[in-house]
Amino acid sequence: MTGRQLVTSTQNTWCPGCGNFTIQHALKNILADLESQGKSLDDIVLVSGIGCHAKIADYLNINSFYAIHGRAIPVATGIKLANRHLTVICCVGDGDAYAEGLDHLIFAAKRNIDITVLVHNNRVYGLTTGQYTPTSPLGFAGRSTPAGTLEYPINPLELMLASGATYVARGYTKKMDQLKILIRGGLDHHGFACIDILQICATFFPMADYYNAHACEIPEYDRADFSAACEKAREWDYNNNNPIALGLFYQRSFPTFDDRMALQPHEKADREVVIAEFLNSRL
């Protein structure tokens, strides 16, 4: 049992049927589990970006920070570097992370900073009434592309694998039990975790029937096998009609950026000594 009311009294303005409800409740249950296992919820920070997903910071009663559009991951990185003992959860949208914030996402994966990124991927800009995002399928007709997009979507799992992420997974909001396992796995993982969460936008991209028909369990293989993970991630490219595998694609242990940063000297005098030693070594 949790010692606090985890869902706030703030009026919820998500549309009925929105996938964000599932993510919120999965997180709420995980937070309650963590507290019952002895972890203080004051040691957990939630950072959100801009978009419908970001309201989750209003609805969960934990430490939180609203970042500007596309900048949630740098804020989460800074929080982790300031206090390595915090558990940092970063909720972002597909437009938030795969468009405006793409470079930050790639560098967070490259650095292996110990944060957990949950991408609320409804494949549309819902808050601004239906423009296409980097994961919208070819031909998507929205407010900004009434005749349909002329671009193929990116494959975020393949991108994260190529960028160096050490925990890569895909969940679906209609599979809440599995989603909870994937998120908890990301929080327990020491390193950069990215979980792409397929969800519907009930108003502008209601894909539940399609996802329900195509979603499947990822088969057993060695999750530390990078090549196998890449091959599995490429099977569904966010555009074709292949089965959509759900689950953990890849996980490995690797030194984190925050751990390496902690080994660096922070005092000016220490830095001067290191610089002098380096310069002397070059003479």
Side-chain angles (χ1 to χ4, degrees), residues 52-83:
C52 290
H53 78 276
K55 300 174 185 176
I56 197 170
D58 289 332
Y59 304 151
L60 285 176
N61 184 24
I62 56 175
N63 297 312
S64 61
F65 189 100
Y66 264 113
I68 59 176
H69 208 188
R71 304 297 182 264
I73 291 174
V75 172
T77 298
I79 291 172
K80 186 66 182 182
L81 291 178
N83 187 343

Side-chain angles (χ1 to χ4, degrees), residues 39-121:
K39 186 175 183 62
S40 171
L41 296 184
D42 291 335
D43 292 334
I44 298 175
V45 182
L46 172 65
V47 182
S48 68
I50 296 296
C52 290
H53 78 276
K55 300 174 185 176
I56 197 170
D58 289 332
Y59 304 151
L60 285 176
N61 184 24
I62 56 175
N63 297 312
S64 61
F65 189 100
Y66 264 113
I68 59 176
H69 208 188
R71 304 297 182 264
I73 291 174
V75 172
T77 298
I79 291 172
K80 186 66 182 182
L81 291 178
N83 187 343
R84 296 170 53 233
H85 302 294
L86 294 176
T87 296
V88 183
I89 305 168
C90 191
C91 286
V92 291
D94 45 312
D96 201 35
Y98 299 150
E100 285 87 349
L102 182 60
D103 51 346
H104 299 303
L105 179 67
I106 290 172
F107 270 79
K110 171 179 174 289
R111 290 166 177 153
N112 196 32
I113 182 77
D114 184 22
I115 64 175
T116 300
V117 174
L118 310 181
V119 184
H120 300 223
N121 188 358

Side-chain angles (χ1 to χ4, degrees), residues 166-187:
T166 52
Y167 183 100
V168 179
R170 181 195 288 135
Y172 174 37
T173 53
K174 295 289 186 182
K175 305 283 187 182
M176 183 171 171
D177 290 342
Q178 182 193 47
L179 179 61
K180 182 181 172 184
I181 292 171
L182 294 175
I183 295 174
R184 180 61 193 264
L187 294 176

Side-chain angles (χ1 to χ4, degrees), residues 7-8 10-28 46 48 50-60 66 91-92 120 122 126-127 173 199-203:
V7 177
T8 71
T10 302
Q11 181 181 2
N12 194 307
T13 59
W14 286 330
C15 299
C18 176
N20 284 319
F21 285 104
T22 301
I23 299 173
Q24 178 197 4
H25 283 282
L27 265 179
K28 180 198 70 175
L46 172 65
S48 68
I50 296 296
C52 290
H53 78 276
K55 300 174 185 176
I56 197 170
D58 289 332
Y59 304 151
L60 285 176
Y66 264 113
C91 286
V92 291
H120 300 223
N122 58 14
L127 189 64
T173 53
Q199 65 170 98
I200 67 161
C201 174
T203 303

